[in-house]
mmCIF file of all heavy atoms in Angstrom:
data_model
loop_
_atom_site.group_PDB
_atom_site.id
_atom_site.type_symbol
_atom_site.label_atom_id
_atom_site.label_comp_id
_atom_site.label_asym_id
_atom_site.label_seq_id
_atom_site.Cartn_x
_atom_site.Cartn_y
_atom_site.Cartn_z
ATOM 1 N N SER H 1 79.710 99.301 85.058
ATOM 2 C CA SER H 1 79.602 99.010 86.485
ATOM 3 C C SER H 1 80.371 97.768 86.916
ATOM 4 O O SER H 1 80.787 97.651 88.067
ATOM 5 C CB SER H 1 78.132 98.872 86.872
ATOM 6 O OG SER H 1 77.519 97.765 86.229
ATOM 7 N N LEU H 2 80.587 96.813 85.990
ATOM 8 C CA LEU H 2 81.332 95.601 86.344
ATOM 9 C C LEU H 2 82.806 95.912 86.625
ATOM 10 O O LEU H 2 83.442 95.203 87.405
ATOM 11 C CB LEU H 2 81.222 94.559 85.219
ATOM 12 C CG LEU H 2 79.928 93.745 85.197
ATOM 13 C CD1 LEU H 2 79.801 92.987 83.875
ATOM 14 C CD2 LEU H 2 79.862 92.777 86.364
ATOM 15 N N SER H 3 83.341 96.937 85.984
ATOM 16 C CA SER H 3 84.748 97.286 86.261
ATOM 17 C C SER H 3 84.870 97.898 87.652
ATOM 18 O O SER H 3 85.704 97.465 88.457
ATOM 19 C CB SER H 3 85.274 98.245 85.199
ATOM 20 O OG SER H 3 84.526 99.434 85.150
ATOM 21 N N ALA H 4 84.040 98.899 87.951
ATOM 22 C CA ALA H 4 84.097 99.534 89.271
ATOM 23 C C ALA H 4 83.610 98.576 90.374
ATOM 24 O O ALA H 4 84.156 98.543 91.474
ATOM 25 C CB ALA H 4 83.253 100.803 89.288
ATOM 26 N N GLY H 5 82.594 97.755 90.023
ATOM 27 C CA GLY H 5 82.027 96.864 91.035
ATOM 28 C C GLY H 5 83.003 95.824 91.555
ATOM 29 O O GLY H 5 82.874 95.340 92.676
ATOM 30 N N GLY H 6 83.995 95.469 90.760
ATOM 31 C CA GLY H 6 84.981 94.467 91.194
ATOM 32 C C GLY H 6 86.064 95.009 92.099
ATOM 33 O O GLY H 6 86.864 94.240 92.658
ATOM 34 N N LEU H 7 86.122 96.338 92.274
ATOM 35 C CA LEU H 7 87.193 96.939 93.069
ATOM 36 C C LEU H 7 87.051 96.572 94.553
ATOM 37 O O LEU H 7 88.045 96.578 95.289
ATOM 38 C CB LEU H 7 87.194 98.457 92.892
ATOM 39 C CG LEU H 7 87.579 98.931 91.483
ATOM 40 C CD1 LEU H 7 87.444 100.438 91.381
ATOM 41 C CD2 LEU H 7 89.030 98.514 91.169
ATOM 42 N N GLY H 8 85.845 96.272 94.979
ATOM 43 C CA GLY H 8 85.665 95.831 96.366
ATOM 44 C C GLY H 8 86.476 94.596 96.682
ATOM 45 O O GLY H 8 86.992 94.437 97.796
ATOM 46 N N ASN H 9 86.591 93.697 95.714
ATOM 47 C CA ASN H 9 87.396 92.492 95.897
ATOM 48 C C ASN H 9 88.866 92.844 96.159
ATOM 49 O O ASN H 9 89.536 92.228 96.979
ATOM 50 C CB ASN H 9 87.310 91.600 94.653
ATOM 51 C CG ASN H 9 85.952 90.962 94.501
ATOM 52 O OD1 ASN H 9 84.994 91.351 95.166
ATOM 53 N ND2 ASN H 9 85.829 89.973 93.631
ATOM 54 N N TYR H 10 89.347 93.843 95.417
ATOM 55 C CA TYR H 10 90.762 94.242 95.601
ATOM 56 C C TYR H 10 90.948 94.984 96.920
ATOM 57 O O TYR H 10 92.018 94.897 97.546
ATOM 58 C CB TYR H 10 91.195 95.117 94.412
ATOM 59 C CG TYR H 10 91.342 94.314 93.150
ATOM 60 C CD1 TYR H 10 90.450 94.483 92.085
ATOM 61 C CD2 TYR H 10 92.361 93.381 92.988
ATOM 62 C CE1 TYR H 10 90.588 93.747 90.920
ATOM 63 C CE2 TYR H 10 92.510 92.644 91.827
ATOM 64 C CZ TYR H 10 91.610 92.831 90.802
ATOM 65 O OH TYR H 10 91.745 92.089 89.651
ATOM 66 N N ALA H 11 89.922 95.721 97.339
ATOM 67 C CA ALA H 11 90.001 96.376 98.646
ATOM 68 C C ALA H 11 90.062 95.348 99.753
ATOM 69 O O ALA H 11 90.815 95.498 100.738
ATOM 70 C CB ALA H 11 88.787 97.289 98.842
ATOM 71 N N VAL H 12 89.276 94.267 99.601
ATOM 72 C CA VAL H 12 89.335 93.160 100.587
ATOM 73 C C VAL H 12 90.737 92.564 100.595
ATOM 74 O O VAL H 12 91.274 92.257 101.674
ATOM 75 C CB VAL H 12 88.304 92.062 100.217
ATOM 76 C CG1 VAL H 12 88.524 90.816 101.060
ATOM 77 C CG2 VAL H 12 86.894 92.581 100.407
ATOM 78 N N LEU H 13 91.361 92.441 99.434
ATOM 79 C CA LEU H 13 92.728 91.918 99.373
ATOM 80 C C LEU H 13 93.690 92.829 100.118
ATOM 81 O O LEU H 13 94.556 92.361 100.874
ATOM 82 C CB LEU H 13 93.155 91.805 97.907
ATOM 83 C CG LEU H 13 94.595 91.324 97.640
ATOM 84 C CD1 LEU H 13 94.838 89.956 98.232
ATOM 85 C CD2 LEU H 13 94.898 91.325 96.136
ATOM 86 N N GLY H 14 93.559 94.147 99.936
ATOM 87 C CA GLY H 14 94.424 95.084 100.635
ATOM 88 C C GLY H 14 94.266 95.016 102.145
ATOM 89 O O GLY H 14 95.266 95.020 102.879
ATOM 90 N N VAL H 15 93.019 94.911 102.616
ATOM 91 C CA VAL H 15 92.768 94.779 104.054
ATOM 92 C C VAL H 15 93.381 93.485 104.588
ATOM 93 O O VAL H 15 94.049 93.469 105.629
ATOM 94 C CB VAL H 15 91.261 94.808 104.340
ATOM 95 C CG1 VAL H 15 90.995 94.479 105.813
ATOM 96 C CG2 VAL H 15 90.660 96.156 103.999
ATOM 97 N N THR H 16 93.177 92.402 103.878
ATOM 98 C CA THR H 16 93.675 91.087 104.322
ATOM 99 C C THR H 16 95.198 91.063 104.370
ATOM 100 O O THR H 16 95.790 90.515 105.307
ATOM 101 C CB THR H 16 93.170 89.973 103.371
ATOM 102 O OG1 THR H 16 91.746 90.092 103.241
ATOM 103 C CG2 THR H 16 93.483 88.610 103.937
ATOM 104 N N LEU H 17 95.847 91.682 103.381
ATOM 105 C CA LEU H 17 97.314 91.738 103.381
ATOM 106 C C LEU H 17 97.815 92.566 104.570
ATOM 107 O O LEU H 17 98.840 92.200 105.190
ATOM 108 C CB LEU H 17 97.819 92.356 102.074
ATOM 109 C CG LEU H 17 97.667 91.484 100.817
ATOM 110 C CD1 LEU H 17 98.022 92.301 99.561
ATOM 111 C CD2 LEU H 17 98.540 90.238 100.923
ATOM 112 N N ALA H 18 97.110 93.639 104.898
ATOM 113 C CA ALA H 18 97.522 94.452 106.056
ATOM 114 C C ALA H 18 97.368 93.654 107.347
ATOM 115 O O ALA H 18 98.257 93.731 108.229
ATOM 116 C CB ALA H 18 96.671 95.723 106.104
ATOM 117 N N VAL H 19 96.291 92.917 107.479
ATOM 118 C CA VAL H 19 96.098 92.062 108.662
ATOM 119 C C VAL H 19 97.196 91.026 108.732
ATOM 120 O O VAL H 19 97.740 90.743 109.824
ATOM 121 C CB VAL H 19 94.712 91.391 108.614
ATOM 122 C CG1 VAL H 19 94.587 90.346 109.732
ATOM 123 C CG2 VAL H 19 93.604 92.431 108.744
ATOM 124 N N LEU H 20 97.550 90.441 107.596
ATOM 125 C CA LEU H 20 98.624 89.444 107.538
ATOM 126 C C LEU H 20 99.933 90.023 108.053
ATOM 127 O O LEU H 20 100.683 89.371 108.812
ATOM 128 C CB LEU H 20 98.801 88.971 106.103
ATOM 129 C CG LEU H 20 99.979 88.027 105.802
ATOM 130 C CD1 LEU H 20 99.839 86.735 106.596
ATOM 131 C CD2 LEU H 20 100.063 87.735 104.303
ATOM 132 N N VAL H 21 100.237 91.283 107.694
ATOM 133 C CA VAL H 21 101.475 91.928 108.115
ATOM 134 C C VAL H 21 101.415 92.355 109.574
ATOM 135 O O VAL H 21 102.401 92.199 110.311
ATOM 136 C CB VAL H 21 101.763 93.170 107.211
ATOM 137 C CG1 VAL H 21 102.913 93.972 107.764
ATOM 138 C CG2 VAL H 21 102.051 92.726 105.780
ATOM 139 N N MET H 22 100.277 92.854 110.029
ATOM 140 C CA MET H 22 100.177 93.466 111.352
ATOM 141 C C MET H 22 99.919 92.482 112.478
ATOM 142 O O MET H 22 100.374 92.688 113.599
ATOM 143 C CB MET H 22 99.072 94.526 111.339
ATOM 144 C CG MET H 22 99.289 95.683 110.393
ATOM 145 S SD MET H 22 100.677 96.717 110.918
ATOM 146 C CE MET H 22 99.988 97.464 112.411
ATOM 147 N N THR H 23 99.187 91.412 112.203
ATOM 148 C CA THR H 23 98.763 90.526 113.284
ATOM 149 C C THR H 23 99.923 89.713 113.854
ATOM 150 O O THR H 23 100.853 89.349 113.118
ATOM 151 C CB THR H 23 97.633 89.583 112.828
ATOM 152 O OG1 THR H 23 97.159 88.866 113.952
ATOM 153 C CG2 THR H 23 98.154 88.585 111.803
ATOM 154 N N LYS H 24 99.837 89.441 115.133
ATOM 155 C CA LYS H 24 100.824 88.577 115.791
ATOM 156 C C LYS H 24 100.237 87.229 116.164
ATOM 157 O O LYS H 24 100.936 86.335 116.633
ATOM 158 C CB LYS H 24 101.359 89.282 117.048
ATOM 159 C CG LYS H 24 102.124 90.566 116.725
ATOM 160 C CD LYS H 24 102.532 91.310 117.976
ATOM 161 C CE LYS H 24 103.220 92.617 117.613
ATOM 162 N NZ LYS H 24 103.540 93.426 118.837
ATOM 163 N N ASP H 25 98.926 87.106 115.910
ATOM 164 C CA ASP H 25 98.244 85.855 116.216
ATOM 165 C C ASP H 25 98.499 84.857 115.076
ATOM 166 O O ASP H 25 98.219 85.143 113.899
ATOM 167 C CB ASP H 25 96.734 86.099 116.355
ATOM 168 C CG ASP H 25 95.984 84.817 116.677
ATOM 169 O OD1 ASP H 25 96.108 84.310 117.792
ATOM 170 O OD2 ASP H 25 95.259 84.343 115.771
ATOM 171 N N LYS H 26 99.047 83.714 115.430
ATOM 172 C CA LYS H 26 99.465 82.725 114.429
ATOM 173 C C LYS H 26 98.280 82.213 113.616
ATOM 174 O O LYS H 26 98.369 82.079 112.386
ATOM 175 C CB LYS H 26 100.170 81.553 115.120
ATOM 176 C CG LYS H 26 100.809 80.570 114.148
ATOM 177 C CD LYS H 26 101.586 79.499 114.890
ATOM 178 C CE LYS H 26 102.235 78.523 113.904
ATOM 179 N NZ LYS H 26 102.983 77.455 114.606
ATOM 180 N N GLN H 27 97.141 81.939 114.259
ATOM 181 C CA GLN H 27 95.976 81.419 113.563
ATOM 182 C C GLN H 27 95.408 82.461 112.589
ATOM 183 O O GLN H 27 95.067 82.124 111.444
ATOM 184 C CB GLN H 27 94.894 81.003 114.565
ATOM 185 C CG GLN H 27 93.692 80.328 113.911
ATOM 186 C CD GLN H 27 92.666 79.867 114.945
ATOM 187 O OE1 GLN H 27 92.858 80.062 116.138
ATOM 188 N NE2 GLN H 27 91.587 79.270 114.483
ATOM 189 N N THR H 28 95.359 83.721 113.028
ATOM 190 C CA THR H 28 94.858 84.788 112.163
ATOM 191 C C THR H 28 95.806 84.983 110.970
ATOM 192 O O THR H 28 95.357 85.191 109.846
ATOM 193 C CB THR H 28 94.733 86.109 112.946
ATOM 194 O OG1 THR H 28 93.856 85.930 114.050
ATOM 195 C CG2 THR H 28 94.209 87.226 112.047
ATOM 196 N N LYS H 29 97.093 84.903 111.214
ATOM 197 C CA LYS H 29 98.080 85.065 110.157
ATOM 198 C C LYS H 29 97.934 83.962 109.105
ATOM 199 O O LYS H 29 97.998 84.215 107.892
ATOM 200 C CB LYS H 29 99.496 85.066 110.737
ATOM 201 C CG LYS H 29 100.588 85.482 109.743
ATOM 202 C CD LYS H 29 101.937 85.535 110.442
ATOM 203 C CE LYS H 29 102.093 86.743 111.320
ATOM 204 N NZ LYS H 29 102.207 88.007 110.537
ATOM 205 N N THR H 30 97.706 82.735 109.573
ATOM 206 C CA THR H 30 97.530 81.609 108.649
ATOM 207 C C THR H 30 96.261 81.792 107.806
ATOM 208 O O THR H 30 96.271 81.589 106.583
ATOM 209 C CB THR H 30 97.434 80.283 109.420
ATOM 210 O OG1 THR H 30 98.629 80.079 110.171
ATOM 211 C CG2 THR H 30 97.227 79.112 108.481
ATOM 212 N N MET H 31 95.177 82.203 108.473
ATOM 213 C CA MET H 31 93.938 82.410 107.747
ATOM 214 C C MET H 31 94.051 83.552 106.759
ATOM 215 O O MET H 31 93.573 83.475 105.615
ATOM 216 C CB MET H 31 92.800 82.688 108.753
ATOM 217 C CG MET H 31 91.432 82.865 108.091
ATOM 218 S SD MET H 31 90.113 83.080 109.298
ATOM 219 C CE MET H 31 90.035 81.425 109.986
ATOM 220 N N ALA H 32 94.725 84.627 107.174
ATOM 221 C CA ALA H 32 94.879 85.793 106.297
ATOM 222 C C ALA H 32 95.719 85.457 105.067
ATOM 223 O O ALA H 32 95.405 85.884 103.952
ATOM 224 C CB ALA H 32 95.525 86.947 107.065
ATOM 225 N N SER H 33 96.760 84.672 105.248
ATOM 226 C CA SER H 33 97.629 84.321 104.120
ATOM 227 C C SER H 33 96.888 83.481 103.086
ATOM 228 O O SER H 33 96.978 83.723 101.885
ATOM 229 C CB SER H 33 98.879 83.599 104.591
ATOM 230 O OG SER H 33 98.541 82.379 105.249
ATOM 231 N N SER H 34 96.134 82.474 103.569
ATOM 232 C CA SER H 34 95.402 81.606 102.636
ATOM 233 C C SER H 34 94.264 82.379 101.964
ATOM 234 O O SER H 34 94.022 82.224 100.776
ATOM 235 C CB SER H 34 94.857 80.387 103.370
ATOM 236 O OG SER H 34 93.938 80.746 104.379
ATOM 237 N N ALA H 35 93.574 83.226 102.721
ATOM 238 C CA ALA H 35 92.470 84.014 102.169
ATOM 239 C C ALA H 35 92.967 84.999 101.115
ATOM 240 O O ALA H 35 92.355 85.171 100.054
ATOM 241 C CB ALA H 35 91.727 84.754 103.272
ATOM 242 N N ALA H 36 94.095 85.655 101.410
ATOM 243 C CA ALA H 36 94.674 86.616 100.451
ATOM 244 C C ALA H 36 95.125 85.916 99.176
ATOM 245 O O ALA H 36 94.948 86.430 98.059
ATOM 246 C CB ALA H 36 95.853 87.340 101.093
ATOM 247 N N PHE H 37 95.679 84.718 99.329
ATOM 248 C CA PHE H 37 96.174 83.964 98.163
ATOM 249 C C PHE H 37 95.001 83.574 97.237
ATOM 250 O O PHE H 37 95.083 83.744 96.013
ATOM 251 C CB PHE H 37 96.921 82.710 98.616
ATOM 252 C CG PHE H 37 97.490 81.897 97.493
ATOM 253 C CD1 PHE H 37 98.538 82.394 96.743
ATOM 254 C CD2 PHE H 37 96.977 80.652 97.197
ATOM 255 C CE1 PHE H 37 99.080 81.648 95.688
ATOM 256 C CE2 PHE H 37 97.492 79.897 96.150
ATOM 257 C CZ PHE H 37 98.558 80.406 95.400
ATOM 258 N N VAL H 38 93.924 83.099 97.838
ATOM 259 C CA VAL H 38 92.744 82.702 97.051
ATOM 260 C C VAL H 38 92.142 83.919 96.347
ATOM 261 O O VAL H 38 91.785 83.858 95.169
ATOM 262 C CB VAL H 38 91.690 82.036 97.952
ATOM 263 C CG1 VAL H 38 90.365 81.848 97.220
ATOM 264 C CG2 VAL H 38 92.188 80.682 98.427
ATOM 265 N N ASN H 39 92.056 85.039 97.055
ATOM 266 C CA ASN H 39 91.519 86.276 96.480
ATOM 267 C C ASN H 39 92.394 86.756 95.341
ATOM 268 O O ASN H 39 91.917 87.149 94.273
ATOM 269 C CB ASN H 39 91.417 87.351 97.564
ATOM 270 C CG ASN H 39 90.638 88.573 97.101
ATOM 271 O OD1 ASN H 39 90.287 88.725 95.940
ATOM 272 N ND2 ASN H 39 90.359 89.471 98.031
ATOM 273 N N PHE H 40 93.719 86.711 95.538
ATOM 274 C CA PHE H 40 94.665 87.174 94.520
ATOM 275 C C PHE H 40 94.546 86.345 93.229
ATOM 276 O O PHE H 40 94.603 86.875 92.134
ATOM 277 C CB PHE H 40 96.098 87.087 95.070
ATOM 278 C CG PHE H 40 97.155 87.271 94.027
ATOM 279 C CD1 PHE H 40 97.405 88.540 93.490
ATOM 280 C CD2 PHE H 40 97.895 86.206 93.554
ATOM 281 C CE1 PHE H 40 98.385 88.721 92.509
ATOM 282 C CE2 PHE H 40 98.882 86.376 92.585
ATOM 283 C CZ PHE H 40 99.110 87.651 92.063
ATOM 284 N N LEU H 41 94.365 85.039 93.386
ATOM 285 C CA LEU H 41 94.297 84.175 92.223
ATOM 286 C C LEU H 41 92.966 84.281 91.499
ATOM 287 O O LEU H 41 92.913 84.420 90.267
ATOM 288 C CB LEU H 41 94.535 82.716 92.616
ATOM 289 C CG LEU H 41 95.967 82.284 92.937
ATOM 290 C CD1 LEU H 41 96.007 80.821 93.270
ATOM 291 C CD2 LEU H 41 96.906 82.594 91.776
ATOM 292 N N SER H 42 91.865 84.195 92.254
ATOM 293 C CA SER H 42 90.556 84.008 91.606
ATOM 294 C C SER H 42 89.486 84.994 92.016
ATOM 295 O O SER H 42 88.345 84.898 91.557
ATOM 296 C CB SER H 42 90.055 82.575 91.889
ATOM 297 O OG SER H 42 89.939 82.386 93.295
ATOM 298 N N GLY H 43 89.790 85.942 92.889
ATOM 299 C CA GLY H 43 88.801 86.935 93.277
ATOM 300 C C GLY H 43 87.751 86.459 94.269
ATOM 301 O O GLY H 43 86.771 87.143 94.502
ATOM 302 N N VAL H 44 87.963 85.276 94.861
ATOM 303 C CA VAL H 44 87.011 84.768 95.870
ATOM 304 C C VAL H 44 87.285 85.454 97.196
ATOM 305 O O VAL H 44 88.402 85.365 97.731
ATOM 306 C CB VAL H 44 87.144 83.232 96.006
ATOM 307 C CG1 VAL H 44 86.277 82.730 97.142
ATOM 308 C CG2 VAL H 44 86.754 82.538 94.708
ATOM 309 N N THR H 45 86.276 86.133 97.717
ATOM 310 C CA THR H 45 86.480 86.993 98.906
ATOM 311 C C THR H 45 85.881 86.447 100.212
ATOM 312 O O THR H 45 86.185 86.967 101.271
ATOM 313 C CB THR H 45 85.862 88.382 98.666
ATOM 314 O OG1 THR H 45 84.475 88.218 98.350
ATOM 315 C CG2 THR H 45 86.555 89.093 97.516
#
């Protein structure tokens, strides 16, 4: 269950990356980039 259970973190990463690409709001883009980077490195969602 720990292998499948961690996939939600990667799904969050995919959503955040999409928001980073799609959004035109500068503040949202900044938040999305930093959040995606932290998730990519350490899995903090």
Side-chain angles (χ1 to χ4, degrees):
S1 64
L2 279 167
S3 59
L7 293 175
N9 290 13
Y10 289 110
V12 170
L13 177 60
V15 172
T16 308
L17 288 172
V19 172
L20 174 62
V21 171
M22 297 293 291
T23 187
K24 296 174 183 176
D25 181 71
K26 188 176 180 180
Q27 185 177 1
T28 302
K29 191 176 284 290
T30 300
M31 182 176 290
S33 62
S34 62
F37 182 68
V38 169
N39 190 351
F40 169 73
L41 285 182
S42 59
V44 174
T45 57

